[in-house]
Short mmCIF file of all heavy atoms in Angstrom, two decimals:
data_model
loop_
_atom_site.label_atom_id
_atom_site.label_comp_id
_atom_site.label_asym_id
_atom_site.label_seq_id
_atom_site.Cartn_x
_atom_site.Cartn_y
_atom_site.Cartn_z
N LYS A 9 113.69 101.21 67.85
CA LYS A 9 113.50 102.54 68.45
C LYS A 9 113.70 102.48 69.97
O LYS A 9 114.37 103.32 70.56
CB LYS A 9 112.11 103.07 68.13
CG LYS A 9 111.83 104.46 68.64
CD LYS A 9 110.41 104.89 68.31
CE LYS A 9 110.45 105.64 67.00
NZ LYS A 9 109.16 106.23 66.66
N LYS A 10 113.13 101.46 70.61
CA LYS A 10 113.26 101.30 72.06
C LYS A 10 114.71 101.02 72.46
O LYS A 10 115.19 101.54 73.47
CB LYS A 10 112.35 100.17 72.55
CG LYS A 10 110.90 100.54 72.55
CD LYS A 10 110.03 99.38 72.99
CE LYS A 10 108.56 99.74 72.88
NZ LYS A 10 107.69 98.61 73.24
N ILE A 11 115.38 100.20 71.68
CA ILE A 11 116.80 99.90 71.97
C ILE A 11 117.61 101.18 71.86
O ILE A 11 118.47 101.46 72.72
CB ILE A 11 117.34 98.82 71.02
CG1 ILE A 11 116.66 97.47 71.30
CG2 ILE A 11 118.86 98.70 71.14
CD1 ILE A 11 116.90 96.42 70.23
N ALA A 12 117.38 101.96 70.82
CA ALA A 12 118.11 103.21 70.62
C ALA A 12 117.91 104.14 71.81
O ALA A 12 118.88 104.72 72.32
CB ALA A 12 117.66 103.89 69.32
N LYS A 13 116.67 104.27 72.24
CA LYS A 13 116.38 105.15 73.37
C LYS A 13 117.09 104.65 74.63
O LYS A 13 117.71 105.42 75.36
CB LYS A 13 114.87 105.22 73.60
CG LYS A 13 114.48 106.20 74.67
CD LYS A 13 112.98 106.33 74.77
CE LYS A 13 112.64 107.37 75.84
NZ LYS A 13 111.20 107.60 75.94
N ARG A 14 117.00 103.34 74.88
CA ARG A 14 117.61 102.76 76.08
C ARG A 14 119.13 102.94 76.07
O ARG A 14 119.74 103.21 77.10
CB ARG A 14 117.27 101.26 76.16
CG ARG A 14 117.80 100.59 77.41
CD ARG A 14 117.59 99.10 77.41
NE ARG A 14 118.46 98.51 76.41
CZ ARG A 14 118.17 97.43 75.70
NH1 ARG A 14 117.03 96.82 75.84
NH2 ARG A 14 119.04 96.95 74.83
N GLU A 15 119.74 102.81 74.89
CA GLU A 15 121.20 102.90 74.77
C GLU A 15 121.69 104.33 74.57
O GLU A 15 122.90 104.57 74.53
CB GLU A 15 121.69 102.03 73.61
CG GLU A 15 121.37 100.55 73.76
CD GLU A 15 122.08 99.93 74.94
OE1 GLU A 15 123.26 100.25 75.18
OE2 GLU A 15 121.45 99.10 75.64
N GLY A 16 120.79 105.28 74.40
CA GLY A 16 121.18 106.67 74.17
C GLY A 16 121.85 106.87 72.82
O GLY A 16 122.74 107.70 72.68
N LYS A 17 121.38 106.12 71.83
CA LYS A 17 121.95 106.20 70.47
C LYS A 17 120.82 106.48 69.50
O LYS A 17 119.65 106.35 69.83
CB LYS A 17 122.64 104.88 70.11
CG LYS A 17 123.82 104.56 70.99
CD LYS A 17 124.46 103.26 70.56
CE LYS A 17 125.68 102.96 71.44
NZ LYS A 17 126.33 101.73 71.02
N SER A 18 121.20 106.80 68.27
CA SER A 18 120.20 107.01 67.23
C SER A 18 119.77 105.65 66.67
O SER A 18 120.48 104.65 66.79
CB SER A 18 120.76 107.87 66.10
OG SER A 18 121.74 107.16 65.37
N GLU A 19 118.60 105.64 66.05
CA GLU A 19 118.12 104.42 65.42
C GLU A 19 119.08 103.96 64.32
O GLU A 19 119.31 102.76 64.17
CB GLU A 19 116.72 104.62 64.86
CG GLU A 19 115.67 104.79 65.93
CD GLU A 19 114.30 105.08 65.37
OE1 GLU A 19 113.89 104.38 64.43
OE2 GLU A 19 113.65 106.01 65.88
N SER A 20 119.66 104.90 63.60
CA SER A 20 120.59 104.52 62.53
C SER A 20 121.86 103.89 63.10
O SER A 20 122.41 102.96 62.51
CB SER A 20 120.92 105.72 61.63
OG SER A 20 121.57 106.73 62.36
N GLN A 21 122.29 104.36 64.27
CA GLN A 21 123.45 103.73 64.91
C GLN A 21 123.13 102.29 65.31
O GLN A 21 123.96 101.40 65.13
CB GLN A 21 123.88 104.52 66.15
CG GLN A 21 124.58 105.82 65.86
CD GLN A 21 124.85 106.60 67.14
OE1 GLN A 21 123.93 106.86 67.92
NE2 GLN A 21 126.10 106.98 67.34
N ILE A 22 121.95 102.08 65.85
CA ILE A 22 121.54 100.74 66.25
C ILE A 22 121.46 99.84 65.03
O ILE A 22 121.94 98.70 65.04
CB ILE A 22 120.21 100.76 67.02
CG1 ILE A 22 120.35 101.55 68.33
CG2 ILE A 22 119.68 99.35 67.27
CD1 ILE A 22 121.41 101.01 69.30
N ARG A 23 120.87 100.34 63.94
CA ARG A 23 120.79 99.54 62.71
C ARG A 23 122.18 99.18 62.19
O ARG A 23 122.41 98.06 61.77
CB ARG A 23 120.00 100.28 61.64
CG ARG A 23 118.53 100.18 61.82
CD ARG A 23 117.76 100.69 60.60
NE ARG A 23 116.35 100.63 60.89
CZ ARG A 23 115.68 101.56 61.55
NH1 ARG A 23 116.30 102.63 61.98
NH2 ARG A 23 114.39 101.41 61.79
N GLU A 24 123.11 100.16 62.23
CA GLU A 24 124.48 99.89 61.77
C GLU A 24 125.13 98.80 62.62
O GLU A 24 125.79 97.90 62.08
CB GLU A 24 125.33 101.16 61.84
CG GLU A 24 125.08 102.14 60.73
CD GLU A 24 125.95 103.39 60.87
OE1 GLU A 24 127.09 103.29 61.38
OE2 GLU A 24 125.48 104.47 60.46
N GLU A 25 124.96 98.89 63.93
CA GLU A 25 125.52 97.88 64.82
C GLU A 25 124.91 96.51 64.55
O GLU A 25 125.60 95.49 64.55
CB GLU A 25 125.32 98.28 66.28
CG GLU A 25 126.16 99.46 66.70
CD GLU A 25 125.87 99.94 68.12
OE1 GLU A 25 125.17 99.24 68.88
OE2 GLU A 25 126.37 101.02 68.47
N MET A 26 123.60 96.50 64.32
CA MET A 26 122.93 95.23 64.02
C MET A 26 123.39 94.66 62.68
O MET A 26 123.61 93.46 62.56
CB MET A 26 121.41 95.43 64.02
CG MET A 26 120.83 95.65 65.39
SD MET A 26 119.04 95.81 65.36
CE MET A 26 118.58 94.10 65.02
N GLU A 27 123.55 95.53 61.69
CA GLU A 27 124.02 95.07 60.39
C GLU A 27 125.41 94.43 60.50
O GLU A 27 125.67 93.40 59.88
CB GLU A 27 124.03 96.22 59.38
CG GLU A 27 122.63 96.62 58.95
CD GLU A 27 122.58 97.93 58.20
OE1 GLU A 27 123.61 98.62 58.07
OE2 GLU A 27 121.47 98.28 57.75
N LYS A 28 126.29 95.04 61.29
CA LYS A 28 127.63 94.47 61.51
C LYS A 28 127.52 93.11 62.20
O LYS A 28 128.19 92.16 61.81
CB LYS A 28 128.49 95.41 62.35
CG LYS A 28 128.96 96.64 61.62
CD LYS A 28 129.76 97.54 62.55
CE LYS A 28 130.02 98.88 61.92
NZ LYS A 28 130.70 99.80 62.84
N ALA A 29 126.68 93.03 63.23
CA ALA A 29 126.51 91.77 63.96
C ALA A 29 125.91 90.70 63.06
O ALA A 29 126.31 89.52 63.13
CB ALA A 29 125.64 92.00 65.19
N ILE A 30 124.96 91.07 62.22
CA ILE A 30 124.35 90.12 61.29
C ILE A 30 125.41 89.61 60.31
O ILE A 30 125.48 88.41 60.04
CB ILE A 30 123.17 90.78 60.55
CG1 ILE A 30 121.99 90.97 61.52
CG2 ILE A 30 122.76 89.98 59.32
CD1 ILE A 30 120.89 91.88 61.00
N MET A 31 126.24 90.51 59.81
CA MET A 31 127.32 90.11 58.88
C MET A 31 128.27 89.13 59.56
O MET A 31 128.60 88.08 59.01
CB MET A 31 128.08 91.33 58.39
CG MET A 31 129.30 91.01 57.54
SD MET A 31 128.92 90.28 55.97
CE MET A 31 128.46 91.72 55.07
N ILE A 32 128.70 89.45 60.76
CA ILE A 32 129.62 88.58 61.50
C ILE A 32 128.97 87.22 61.75
O ILE A 32 129.58 86.18 61.54
CB ILE A 32 130.07 89.25 62.81
CG1 ILE A 32 130.98 90.45 62.49
CG2 ILE A 32 130.78 88.25 63.72
CD1 ILE A 32 131.24 91.37 63.67
N GLY A 33 127.72 87.24 62.21
CA GLY A 33 127.03 86.00 62.48
C GLY A 33 126.85 85.14 61.24
O GLY A 33 127.00 83.92 61.29
N SER A 34 126.57 85.77 60.13
CA SER A 34 126.34 85.02 58.89
C SER A 34 127.62 84.38 58.36
O SER A 34 127.56 83.42 57.59
CB SER A 34 125.73 85.92 57.83
OG SER A 34 126.68 86.83 57.34
N LEU A 35 128.75 84.92 58.75
CA LEU A 35 130.04 84.37 58.28
C LEU A 35 130.52 83.18 59.10
O LEU A 35 131.50 82.54 58.73
CB LEU A 35 131.10 85.48 58.29
CG LEU A 35 130.86 86.61 57.30
CD1 LEU A 35 131.89 87.72 57.51
CD2 LEU A 35 130.87 86.12 55.87
N ASN A 36 129.83 82.86 60.18
CA ASN A 36 130.21 81.73 61.03
C ASN A 36 129.90 80.43 60.28
O ASN A 36 128.75 80.10 60.02
CB ASN A 36 129.43 81.80 62.35
CG ASN A 36 129.83 80.70 63.30
OD1 ASN A 36 130.19 79.60 62.92
ND2 ASN A 36 129.74 81.00 64.58
N LYS A 37 130.94 79.70 59.94
CA LYS A 37 130.79 78.47 59.16
C LYS A 37 129.98 77.41 59.89
O LYS A 37 129.28 76.62 59.28
CB LYS A 37 132.15 77.91 58.78
CG LYS A 37 132.89 78.77 57.79
CD LYS A 37 134.25 78.23 57.47
CE LYS A 37 134.98 79.20 56.56
NZ LYS A 37 136.34 78.77 56.29
N GLU A 38 130.04 77.41 61.21
CA GLU A 38 129.32 76.40 62.00
C GLU A 38 127.81 76.61 61.98
O GLU A 38 127.05 75.67 62.16
CB GLU A 38 129.82 76.39 63.44
CG GLU A 38 131.25 75.91 63.57
CD GLU A 38 131.78 75.98 64.99
OE1 GLU A 38 130.97 76.10 65.93
OE2 GLU A 38 133.00 75.93 65.13
N THR A 39 127.37 77.84 61.80
CA THR A 39 125.93 78.12 61.83
C THR A 39 125.39 78.59 60.47
O THR A 39 124.23 78.96 60.38
CB THR A 39 125.60 79.18 62.89
OG1 THR A 39 126.32 80.39 62.59
CG2 THR A 39 125.96 78.69 64.30
N ARG A 40 126.21 78.55 59.45
CA ARG A 40 125.81 79.06 58.12
C ARG A 40 124.55 78.38 57.62
O ARG A 40 123.67 79.01 57.03
CB ARG A 40 126.95 78.88 57.12
CG ARG A 40 126.68 79.48 55.76
CD ARG A 40 126.65 80.96 55.85
NE ARG A 40 125.50 81.47 55.12
CZ ARG A 40 125.20 82.74 55.00
NH1 ARG A 40 125.93 83.64 55.56
NH2 ARG A 40 124.16 83.11 54.34
N HIS A 41 124.43 77.07 57.84
CA HIS A 41 123.25 76.34 57.37
C HIS A 41 121.96 76.89 58.00
O HIS A 41 120.93 76.96 57.34
CB HIS A 41 123.40 74.85 57.64
CG HIS A 41 123.40 74.50 59.10
ND1 HIS A 41 124.50 74.68 59.91
CD2 HIS A 41 122.41 74.03 59.89
CE1 HIS A 41 124.19 74.32 61.14
NE2 HIS A 41 122.93 73.92 61.17
N LYS A 42 122.04 77.27 59.26
CA LYS A 42 120.86 77.82 59.94
C LYS A 42 120.48 79.18 59.34
O LYS A 42 119.32 79.47 59.11
CB LYS A 42 121.13 77.94 61.44
CG LYS A 42 119.94 78.38 62.24
CD LYS A 42 118.83 77.34 62.24
CE LYS A 42 117.71 77.75 63.16
NZ LYS A 42 116.58 76.87 63.10
N TRP A 43 121.48 80.01 59.09
CA TRP A 43 121.23 81.32 58.47
C TRP A 43 120.56 81.12 57.12
O TRP A 43 119.59 81.81 56.80
CB TRP A 43 122.54 82.10 58.29
CG TRP A 43 123.04 82.71 59.54
CD1 TRP A 43 123.77 82.10 60.51
CD2 TRP A 43 122.84 84.05 59.98
NE1 TRP A 43 124.03 82.99 61.52
CE2 TRP A 43 123.48 84.19 61.22
CE3 TRP A 43 122.18 85.15 59.43
CZ2 TRP A 43 123.48 85.39 61.91
CZ3 TRP A 43 122.19 86.34 60.12
CH2 TRP A 43 122.83 86.45 61.36
N ASP A 44 121.10 80.19 56.32
CA ASP A 44 120.54 79.94 54.99
C ASP A 44 119.09 79.46 55.08
O ASP A 44 118.25 79.86 54.28
CB ASP A 44 121.39 78.93 54.23
CG ASP A 44 122.74 79.49 53.82
OD1 ASP A 44 122.93 80.73 53.86
OD2 ASP A 44 123.62 78.69 53.46
N SER A 45 118.81 78.61 56.07
CA SER A 45 117.44 78.10 56.18
C SER A 45 116.47 79.19 56.66
O SER A 45 115.30 79.17 56.29
CB SER A 45 117.39 76.89 57.13
OG SER A 45 117.61 77.28 58.46
N LEU A 46 116.95 80.12 57.45
CA LEU A 46 116.08 81.19 57.95
C LEU A 46 115.88 82.33 56.95
O LEU A 46 114.79 82.89 56.85
CB LEU A 46 116.65 81.77 59.25
CG LEU A 46 116.61 80.88 60.47
CD1 LEU A 46 117.40 81.51 61.61
CD2 LEU A 46 115.18 80.60 60.90
N PHE A 47 116.94 82.69 56.23
CA PHE A 47 116.89 83.91 55.40
C PHE A 47 117.13 83.69 53.91
O PHE A 47 117.01 84.61 53.14
CB PHE A 47 117.91 84.93 55.93
CG PHE A 47 117.74 85.24 57.38
CD1 PHE A 47 118.65 84.78 58.32
CD2 PHE A 47 116.66 85.97 57.82
CE1 PHE A 47 118.50 85.05 59.66
CE2 PHE A 47 116.48 86.25 59.17
CZ PHE A 47 117.41 85.79 60.09
N GLY A 48 117.50 82.49 53.53
CA GLY A 48 117.82 82.22 52.13
C GLY A 48 119.33 82.13 51.95
O GLY A 48 120.09 82.82 52.63
N SER A 49 119.72 81.29 51.05
CA SER A 49 121.14 81.03 50.83
C SER A 49 121.91 82.29 50.45
O SER A 49 121.58 82.96 49.47
CB SER A 49 121.31 79.97 49.75
OG SER A 49 122.66 79.65 49.59
N GLY A 50 122.92 82.62 51.26
CA GLY A 50 123.79 83.74 50.98
C GLY A 50 123.16 85.11 51.13
O GLY A 50 123.76 86.11 50.76
N ARG A 51 121.98 85.18 51.68
CA ARG A 51 121.25 86.45 51.81
C ARG A 51 121.36 87.00 53.22
O ARG A 51 121.23 86.26 54.19
CB ARG A 51 119.78 86.18 51.50
CG ARG A 51 119.04 87.41 51.12
CD ARG A 51 117.58 87.05 50.74
NE ARG A 51 116.77 88.16 51.19
CZ ARG A 51 116.29 88.31 52.41
NH1 ARG A 51 116.46 87.40 53.31
NH2 ARG A 51 115.61 89.38 52.74
N LEU A 52 121.62 88.29 53.33
CA LEU A 52 121.67 88.94 54.63
C LEU A 52 120.35 89.67 54.88
O LEU A 52 119.90 90.46 54.04
CB LEU A 52 122.81 89.96 54.70
CG LEU A 52 124.22 89.39 54.69
CD1 LEU A 52 125.24 90.52 54.69
CD2 LEU A 52 124.44 88.48 55.87
N PRO A 53 119.73 89.43 56.02
CA PRO A 53 118.47 90.12 56.33
C PRO A 53 118.72 91.53 56.82
O PRO A 53 119.79 91.86 57.33
CB PRO A 53 117.89 89.26 57.46
CG PRO A 53 119.10 88.76 58.17
CD PRO A 53 120.11 88.50 57.08
#
């Protein structure tokens, strides 16, 4: 909510941007093991 207010965007826009960034980050082969250890194998938070 605070990020949305600061950026002048809606909360849903911020969530969409975060979801895209999470997807991109999770696809990084170099850090995939860390994602799996934090959130579960193949699972997107």
Side-chain angles (χ1 to χ4, degrees):
K9 183 182 267 186
K10 287 178 185 177
I11 293 167
K13 185 175 182 177
R14 183 186 70 213
E15 299 296 320
K17 297 181 179 182
S18 70
E19 291 176 47
S20 63
Q21 286 175 306
I22 297 301
R23 280 191 183 84
E24 283 179 32
E25 290 175 11
M26 288 182 72
E27 288 168 355
K28 288 178 190 176
I30 289 167
M31 174 67 79
I32 291 167
S34 72
L35 295 174
N36 183 328
K37 292 178 185 176
E38 293 176 17
T39 59
R40 185 69 226 181
H41 67 281
K42 185 67 174 174
W43 282 83
D44 290 345
S45 70
L46 291 172
F47 306 108
S49 184
R51 201 177 145 275
L52 291 177

